[in-house]
Amino acid sequence: MHTFFTKNQEEKELNKNKHNNFCDNCLALVKLQNTNLNLQMAEENTNVPAEETVETQETKVVAPVQDPKEFLENFNWEKYEQGIEKVEDSKLEEFEKLVSENFVDTADEEVVEGTVVYLTDREAIIDINAKSEGVISLNEFRYNPDLKVGDKVEVLIDIREDKSGQLVLSHRKARTIMAWDRVNAAHDKEEIVSGFVKCRTKGGMIVDVFGIEAFLPGSQIDVKPIRDYDQYVNKTMEFKVVKINHEFKNVVVSHKALIEADIEEQKKEIIGQLEKGQVLEGVVKNITSYGVFIDLGGVDGLVHITDLSWSRINHPNEVVELDQKLNVVILDFDENKSRIQLGLKQLEKHPWEALSDEIKIGDKVKGKVVVIADYGAFIEVVEGVEGLIHVSEMSWSTHLRSAQDFVKVGDEVEAVVLTLDRDDRKMSLGIKQLTPDPWTDITSKYPVGSKHSGIVRNFTNFGVFVELEEGIDGLIYISDLSWTKKIKHPSEFVSVGDKLEVEVLELDVEGRKLSLGHKQTTANPWDKYEAEFALDTVHTATIADVVDKGATIEFNEDIVAFVPQRHLEKEDGKKLGKGDEAQFKIIEFNKDFKRVVASHTAIFREEEKRNVKAAVKRQAAAADEAKPTLGDANEALQALKDKMEGKA
């Protein structure tokens, strides 16, 4: 039991709390405390008179002779009530000072410095100046394989007393606490820290900084894009702490920030010396579909895809590759020189300037198809020199077609030079000129009246275009398609791609025009129908359709006749309807206009006329036979007179 000396009850309670806090260290202070008490008792015993003593078993103590009144006045009633003796404030302060200077408060969770006093195979014994030494597993010192006795290490009191009464310390927790302090200080002061790259992770790397696992984003490793992250694993590098999340205990570091600081100085120096036309050496930093970014030593410039090569290319990687060193020329830059336009092809002579003077109009050249458009194809005759073959120069045919019908990208073709302008760097070529013009002997091959077979290539509202051979097209007007059918649009009669028999009707060599006919290849059936369906001939047919002004009847597949409304009346006064079969008389036939008009009513009306004429003739004959006499006439006149006079 350890005794503290207090002034009053409040001090007693305070000292009891202090006793609880320092109990682990008090055993180490026993000798110091007893020494102070012995010194105090020795001082008090020197004042005891020698006359009176109290005998004990071992020693004799001289008891002072004191007046009872004086004794009562000086009696320490507090000591008598509390059972403890008061200690002077100065001595108490001296005691607390010794404790604070020499001993560790094991109740506080703070980092303290300890000394390695002993090492085993599995543990390190650490003295932190407490009542006992602490124990730490050697696993917490794996980062420091050279740990030895006498080394100073930072520790945190993990367990004050375990089951065996042992003080347990933690070096790892102490490192974490101290590391956070160091990381925060490095972030606030923008200091450079050293870290060990442990491994890769999604989006970047994990770096050990002061024992804390920090995140290094892939974009913060270097100023240029990183393609191989594994090259940085297990390397020690310098970093700058750029972000700390205290809530989630996250740390973000950057190596790029250190490089940018150096590059910024180089950039200012390089930008200040830039001039148009200046040739610089650079490294391919990035390749995109529209161009290449070149690192000029801290300053980036762009070589557009059109400035990479005089030849036409589809992608920049056909010319350059990443990390390639090459010379480029400065073409232009903005006022701040922050956007620099570079060129690569400008370092070489323009291909048109190197084009041979021997090439002239009419020469045959060979080249590769590099681009195809609807209007034609571009042929690269030599590297960087292209000529256009218009679609109209690909075939002698005049009907509309696309360039894709003749060539495709990558084809090797032969063509004839049609035009050549070295100043404007333009060249036009032709393929059809390699074959004879089919119109040169058109009169002998396709004379008027000759019959041929062709392919329907296209049609319009007024006719059909038929190709007799490559380059020879003719037009069949809609009126020359059929003798009998009334065609409103050619698509009702033929389709594109159909084979059609034609006859040459007209030929215009200068205008390169050919007029054809299809119906002329067969006999005109109206010549035969003219006699068969002559006027007043009677035919039996069925009403096919009824319209507002009449009805139509079909005598055969070619002859469709029209029956006016008033000619549909039957003998009984009713009218014929759709589907009724009857006899019809032809009352009009026009071969030129292919018009046929028939009548049902005319059949029985004609018979009525004949009957009326016959009746008239019979009546006339009867009248002649029964002519009245003079007496009969007188009697008739007398009867009429009597009637007029009112006589009976």
Side-chain angles (χ1 to χ4, degrees):
M1 180 69 181
H2 305 291
T3 304
F4 287 86
F5 301 93
T6 60
K7 296 178 182 180
N8 48 41
Q9 187 63 30
E10 293 180 357
E11 290 183 356
K12 179 181 177 182
E13 294 297 327
L14 178 62
N15 286 331
K16 282 183 180 180
N17 293 333
K18 291 183 178 180
H19 168 265
N20 292 332
N21 292 334
F22 296 116
C23 64
D24 291 338
N25 299 321
C26 286
L27 292 177
L29 297 174
V30 170
K31 292 181 180 180
L32 178 62
Q33 184 179 12
N34 290 338
T35 301
N36 291 336
L37 294 175
N38 290 337
L39 290 173
Q40 182 178 0
M41 293 176 65
E43 291 178 357
E44 293 178 354
N45 290 337
T46 57
N47 297 326
V48 177
E51 296 89 341
E52 296 185 13
T53 60
V54 179
E55 294 186 358
T56 63
Q57 294 179 355
E58 297 180 357
T59 61
K60 291 182 179 181
V61 179
V62 179
V65 179
Q66 192 172 7
D67 183 51
K69 184 178 180 181
E70 182 182 354
F71 174 79
L72 292 174
E73 291 178 354
N74 297 327
F75 185 75
N76 191 340
W77 293 100
E78 183 178 1
K79 176 182 177 183
Y80 176 76
E81 293 175 356
Q82 302 295 334
I84 57 177
E85 188 174 357
K86 182 179 179 181
V87 180
E88 294 180 3
D89 291 343
S90 60
K91 292 184 178 180
L92 186 60
E93 291 176 357
E94 181 181 359
F95 175 76
E96 291 179 349
K97 182 178 179 181
L98 289 172
V99 172
S100 63
E101 290 179 353
N102 293 280
F103 300 102
V104 173
D105 184 2
T106 57
D108 293 336
E109 293 185 357
E110 63 176 334
V111 178
V112 298
E113 187 177 64
T115 304
V116 180
V117 294
Y118 189 73
L119 293 172
T120 68
D121 294 338
R122 301 176 60 184
E123 298 172 329
I125 310 302
I126 310 297
D127 180 16
I128 61 170
N129 209 12
K131 74 171 184 177
S132 63
E133 289 82 5
V135 179
I136 299 178
S137 173
L138 286 179
N139 288 334
E140 298 190 19
F141 294 97
R142 282 182 297 178
Y143 75 95
N144 185 9
D146 299 328
L147 184 69
K148 61 183 182 298
V149 174
D151 286 352
K152 300 290 184 181
V153 294
E154 297 164 339
V155 296
L156 181 73
I157 298 170
D158 199 4
I159 303 176
R160 294 173 59 190
E161 287 186 7
D162 60 8
K163 294 181 180 180
S164 61
Q166 180 66 54
L167 174 66
V168 180
L169 306 176
S170 174
H171 177 61
R172 179 180 57 81
K173 294 181 179 179
R175 284 189 71 209
T176 302
I177 294 175
M178 295 301 295
W180 273 104
D181 294 339
R182 295 174 67 182
V183 166
N184 281 282
H187 179 261
D188 296 338
K189 297 178 183 179
E190 297 185 354
E191 295 178 348
I192 298 174
V193 298
S194 179
F196 178 75
V197 181
K198 297 176 64 176
C199 62
R200 283 192 59 180
T201 188
K202 184 179 180 180
M205 316 286 288
I206 298 298
V207 181
D208 186 337
V209 179
F210 304 138
I212 295 177
E213 288 190 349
F215 177 60
L216 172 63
S219 60
Q220 296 298 317
I221 297 177
D222 205 338
V223 292
K224 58 184 179 181
I226 303 300
R227 293 177 292 279
D228 182 16
Y229 285 81
D230 293 333
Q231 62 179 318
Y232 296 96
V233 178
N234 296 329
K235 285 188 177 181
T236 300
M237 303 170 60
E238 290 184 337
F239 303 97
K240 188 175 181 180
V241 181
V242 294
K243 185 178 181 181
I244 297 178
N245 188 321
H246 295 279
E247 181 180 358
F248 298 101
K249 300 294 184 182
N250 292 335
V251 179
V252 180
V253 296
S254 171
H255 180 67
K256 177 182 176 181
L258 302 179
I259 302 175
E260 287 179 337
D262 297 334
I263 290 178
E264 191 63 29
E265 295 298 326
Q266 300 177 11
K267 185 176 180 180
K268 291 179 181 179
E269 182 179 353
I270 294 173
I271 287 178
Q273 300 175 355
L274 290 181
E275 295 180 1
K276 292 182 181 180
Q278 184 180 8
V279 178
L280 299 175
E281 184 182 54
V283 178
V284 177
K285 180 179 180 180
N286 191 20
I287 299 177
T288 66
S289 60
Y290 56 86
V292 178
F293 287 94
I294 306 295
D295 183 3
L296 301 175
V299 181
D300 290 346
L302 173 65
V303 182
H304 195 269
I305 187 173
T306 57
D307 291 318
L308 282 172
S309 173
W310 292 114
S311 300
R312 197 185 296 266
I313 59 175
N314 296 318
H315 196 277
N317 56 22
E318 298 177 13
V319 180
V320 298
E321 58 185 15
L322 287 172
D323 299 328
Q324 178 183 350
K325 288 185 178 180
L326 44 80
N327 291 329
V328 291
V329 60
I330 298 176
L331 302 180
D332 199 2
F333 46 75
D334 58 8
E335 295 181 358
N336 299 325
K337 298 183 179 180
S338 59
R339 301 181 65 179
I340 305 172
Q341 181 181 347
L342 305 175
L344 180 63
K345 70 179 184 180
Q346 287 78 6
L347 296 176
E348 300 177 357
K349 191 175 182 180
H350 197 288
W352 272 92
E353 298 176 3
L355 185 64
S356 173
D357 294 334
E358 296 180 357
I359 297 180
K360 57 185 180 298
I361 295 175
D363 288 350
K364 294 181 181 180
V365 293
K366 291 183 179 181
K368 183 174 68 174
V369 179
V370 291
V371 175
I372 293 181
D374 290 337
Y375 55 85
F378 288 92
I379 311 299
E380 188 176 50
V381 179
V382 296
E383 186 176 359
V385 177
E386 297 177 1
L388 171 65
I389 303 178
H390 194 271
V391 66
S392 61
E393 302 298 337
M394 292 183 175
S395 171
W396 291 109
S397 178
T398 56
H399 63 267
L400 297 178
R401 295 172 72 178
S402 176
Q404 287 88 341
D405 296 335
F406 300 96
V407 294
K408 60 181 182 293
V409 175
D411 285 352
E412 294 285 343
V413 299
E414 185 179 22
V416 176
V417 179
L418 303 180
T419 63
L420 180 62
D421 190 338
R422 296 179 182 271
D423 295 332
D424 292 337
R425 295 172 179 173
K426 292 181 179 180
M427 181 190 301
S428 63
L429 307 173
I431 296 178
K432 70 180 184 180
Q433 288 76 10
L434 297 173
T435 58
D437 185 356
W439 281 86
T440 53
D441 56 350
I442 189 70
T443 54
S444 59
K445 293 176 64 175
Y446 302 100
V448 175
S450 60
K451 295 181 180 180
H452 309 275
S453 179
I455 304 297
V456 176
R457 292 301 184 187
N458 192 18
F459 47 71
T460 64
N461 293 331
F462 55 84
V464 178
F465 287 97
V466 177
E467 184 182 56
L468 301 180
E469 64 173 85
E470 183 74 21
I472 303 296
D473 292 344
L475 173 63
I476 303 176
Y477 283 99
I478 194 170
S479 59
D480 290 321
L481 287 173
S482 174
W483 289 110
T484 57
K485 293 182 179 179
K486 293 183 179 180
I487 302 171
K488 295 180 180 180
H489 192 274
S491 59
E492 301 174 5
F493 188 79
V494 293
S495 299
V496 174
D498 287 352
K499 193 171 184 180
L500 206 62
E501 297 296 325
V502 296
E503 181 178 325
V504 179
L505 303 180
E506 295 180 8
L507 180 60
D508 183 359
V509 178
E510 294 182 359
R512 302 174 78 93
K513 293 181 180 180
L514 199 61
S515 179
L516 305 175
H518 171 65
K519 70 180 183 180
Q520 288 79 5
T521 59
T522 60
N524 187 353
W526 286 87
D527 295 337
K528 179 182 67 173
Y529 296 147
E530 186 176 15
E532 183 179 351
F533 296 94
L535 289 176
D536 296 332
T537 57
V538 178
H539 306 272
T540 301
T542 302
I543 301 294
D545 195 13
V546 177
V547 295
D548 293 340
K549 295 183 178 182
T552 59
I553 56 176
E554 296 179 357
F555 291 124
N556 55 39
E557 61 180 5
D558 296 327
I559 302 296
V560 177
F562 178 71
V563 181
Q565 189 74 244
R566 58 190 178 86
H567 290 276
L568 290 172
E569 186 177 348
K570 295 190 291 184
E571 191 172 1
D572 57 2
K574 297 180 180 180
K575 290 190 176 182
L576 294 172
K578 184 176 181 179
D580 291 344
E581 186 179 44
Q583 287 187 328
F584 297 89
K585 177 183 286 189
I586 304 299
I587 60 176
E588 182 180 349
F589 185 90
N590 191 319
K591 182 178 69 173
D592 296 332
F593 295 99
K594 299 179 180 61
R595 175 180 173 84
V596 178
V597 181
S599 172
H600 171 69
T601 305
I603 293 177
F604 64 83
R605 288 279 172 84
E606 189 67 26
E607 187 175 349
E608 287 180 354
K609 290 180 181 180
R610 288 197 299 269
N611 292 337
V612 169
K613 290 181 179 180
V616 170
K617 288 182 179 180
R618 286 195 300 270
Q619 291 176 0
D624 290 341
E625 292 178 358
K627 287 183 180 181
T629 61
L630 183 59
D632 294 335
N634 291 334
E635 290 178 2
L637 290 173
Q638 186 62 44
L640 180 60
K641 180 179 179 182
D642 293 342
K643 185 178 182 180
M644 293 177 62
E645 292 177 353
K647 294 180 178 181

